Amino acid sequence: MSVFLLSFLSALVITMLLIRYQRLHSWSSADSDLLAVQKFHHAPVPRIGGLGILLAVIPAMLWPLFENVSVGGFGFMLVLVALPAFGFGFMEDVTKRVGVSVRLLATALSAALAGWLLGAWLPSLQIFGIDALMAAYPWLAIAVTCFAVAGVANAFNIIDGYNGLSGMVGVIILGGVAYVAFQLHDFEIMIAAFAMMGAILGFLVLNYPRGLIFLGDGGAYLIGFWVAELSVMLTARHPEVSKWFPLLLCCYPIFETLFTIYRRIVIRKTNPGMPDAAHLHQMIYKRVVRWAVGSNESVDMVIRNSLTAPYLWVLTAMAVIPAVLFWNDAWVLRGFALLFAVSYVLLYRRLVQFKAPKWMRVSGGR
């Protein structure tokens, strides 16, 4: 609990300072491109909230050094290997010149460092045929791990479209990681999960609902990398944990990414790296909450923005809850993963057809 409180308070104070003195850094840190296809805010906002999260996690992860050298050493190494993933995302936040391929390679480097220094390699995937190949060719296990970690980190960046969305999704998923780690008495992973949860929540105080600061690519990649690495280490350290546990745990951001690639290549026949405004969270905004508060005044635009994220929090919980309940049963986890994928596609289709379910509809206005 002390680690959680330390990271929460540190993130809150640092984020407040970043906002208070934004005039000193807004020339490089502000998200000023208000006309881009994926932008839904009405004024330039600092997009370096990830810096506050990183600076809050560092003391929280080092604090256990005073009580347990092993736990503190683990925390130090985890922060160290996360720096490439965060650093190149943060460079994009301040320069707007770091492409997604470079960020993915940097995150893969972080995954490789974590595998080397912390033993965070995926031993198998519990998929017939692939497991035998991974066992026969160790380099394949390394490649799969780096690809999976980089993919999850990028997925968190993809869903980072509205106030509180990516951050709270991270909190919900890390809560599932912490619970299973507690069940397995793996206190290193549990403490690392709580440290990041506290830092994210401290940031969210000022990000949700008013959107005074954004997570940015650095923050999104940091959270995604943290989630992915703790999940990999949980399965690597404890064979009883199904390899489908982290997949179902992160099912929303992962499936959002896969569906986006399918939508852009197969349906739109465009480059999968080209941005668009057709993600699920954007469809919810345009087809559900946009009409709840009809005014175009800035305050109402912020309200509409913040009404979007809770729908995706619920969707995330629908995957996290069964993952936590059946973390050691691969077949049940496979079934819930399939159910989630079908539910996602059906929901997306209804939104595209302007047939949003009644339970999603909200009323508002001032």
Side-chain angles (χ1 to χ4, degrees):
M1 185 58 70
S2 60
V3 168
F4 177 87
L5 290 176
L6 178 59
S7 62
F8 173 83
L9 294 175
S10 298
L12 178 60
V13 171
I14 295 170
T15 305
M16 289 176 64
L17 291 174
L18 290 174
I19 295 173
R20 174 65 178 80
Y21 295 102
Q22 63 179 295
R23 67 182 185 279
L24 301 178
H25 56 77
S26 61
W27 62 274
S28 64
S29 66
D31 190 355
S32 303
D33 186 7
L34 307 182
L35 300 179
V37 66
Q38 294 180 317
K39 305 301 181 181
F40 288 88
H41 53 288
H42 65 279
V45 175
R47 51 180 286 175
I48 56 173
L51 180 62
I53 293 177
L54 176 68
L55 295 179
V57 164
I58 291 174
M61 293 301 291
L62 296 182
W63 178 260
L65 276 172
F66 297 101
E67 300 176 357
N68 189 312
V69 176
S70 175
V71 175
F74 171 82
F76 172 79
M77 297 304 296
L78 186 58
V79 171
L80 183 65
V81 300
L83 292 180
F86 168 80
F88 280 82
F90 186 76
M91 287 171 59
E92 163 63 12
D93 293 329
V94 297
T95 68
K96 285 78 173 177
R97 295 179 180 177
V98 182
V100 63
S101 59
V102 176
R103 283 173 271 152
L104 285 171
L105 287 173
T107 309
L109 173 61
S110 285
L113 290 173
W116 176 40
L117 298 172
L118 296 171
W121 300 118
L122 282 170
S124 67
L125 297 178
Q126 289 185 318
I127 298 177
F128 180 75
I130 295 181
D131 289 355
L133 290 174
M134 291 176 66
Y137 303 101
W139 62 266
L140 181 59
I142 294 173
V144 168
T145 301
C146 293
F147 177 81
V149 172
V152 170
N154 187 60
F156 271 82
N157 191 48
I158 286 177
I159 67 171
D160 184 29
Y162 291 92
N163 299 338
L165 177 50
S166 188
M168 186 55 73
V169 167
V171 170
I172 295 170
I173 294 174
L174 286 168
V177 171
Y179 173 80
V180 175
F182 174 76
Q183 294 293 314
L184 297 168
H185 305 288
D186 194 326
F187 298 112
E188 291 179 347
I189 292 179
M190 184 184 74
I191 289 173
F194 276 127
M196 181 57 74
M197 289 169 66
I200 296 172
L201 289 172
F203 157 80
L204 285 175
V205 171
L206 297 164
N207 169 258
Y208 187 86
R210 297 179 61 192
L212 300 178
I213 189 169
F214 292 159
L215 190 60
D217 287 17
Y221 274 91
L222 175 62
I223 294 173
F225 173 79
W226 206 269
V227 166
E229 278 305 326
L230 293 185
S231 300
V232 168
M233 281 188 277
L234 203 58
T235 60
R237 292 182 174 193
H238 307 280
E240 63 269 37
V241 178
S242 170
K243 308 307 178 288
W244 284 79
F245 166 70
L247 178 63
L248 182 57
L249 203 64
C250 302
C251 208
Y252 163 54
I254 290 175
F255 196 78
E256 178 68 43
T257 302
L258 295 176
F259 190 77
T260 297
I261 295 172
Y262 165 79
R263 186 183 70 245
R264 291 174 181 173
I265 294 179
V266 178
I267 300 179
R268 295 177 176 266
K269 307 201 182 296
T270 60
N271 188 316
M274 291 296 294
D276 59 28
H279 293 296
L280 179 61
H281 52 269
Q282 293 162 328
M283 297 304 297
I284 291 174
Y285 175 86
K286 291 186 289 187
R287 303 293 167 86
V288 180
V289 305
R290 186 175 182 177
W291 313 111
V293 184
S295 169
N296 286 324
E297 295 180 15
S298 60
V299 63
D300 287 339
M301 291 175 67
V302 173
I303 292 174
R304 288 202 299 268
N305 184 310
S306 300
L307 282 173
T308 303
Y311 289 100
L312 286 311
W313 300 345
V314 173
L315 185 66
T316 301
M318 289 173 60
V320 171
I321 291 173
V324 168
L325 292 176
F326 305 102
W327 54 268
N328 59 350
D329 193 323
W331 283 107
V332 174
L333 294 174
R334 290 186 183 104
F336 275 107
L338 177 61
L339 178 62
F340 181 92
V342 172
S343 300
Y344 178 104
V345 172
L346 292 177
L347 175 60
Y348 191 94
R349 183 183 180 189
R350 293 197 63 174
L351 291 174
V352 169
Q353 296 174 342
F354 292 90
K355 297 179 180 179
K358 291 183 179 180
W359 60 267
M360 294 185 69
R361 299 172 189 171
V362 294
S363 59
R366 293 189 306 125

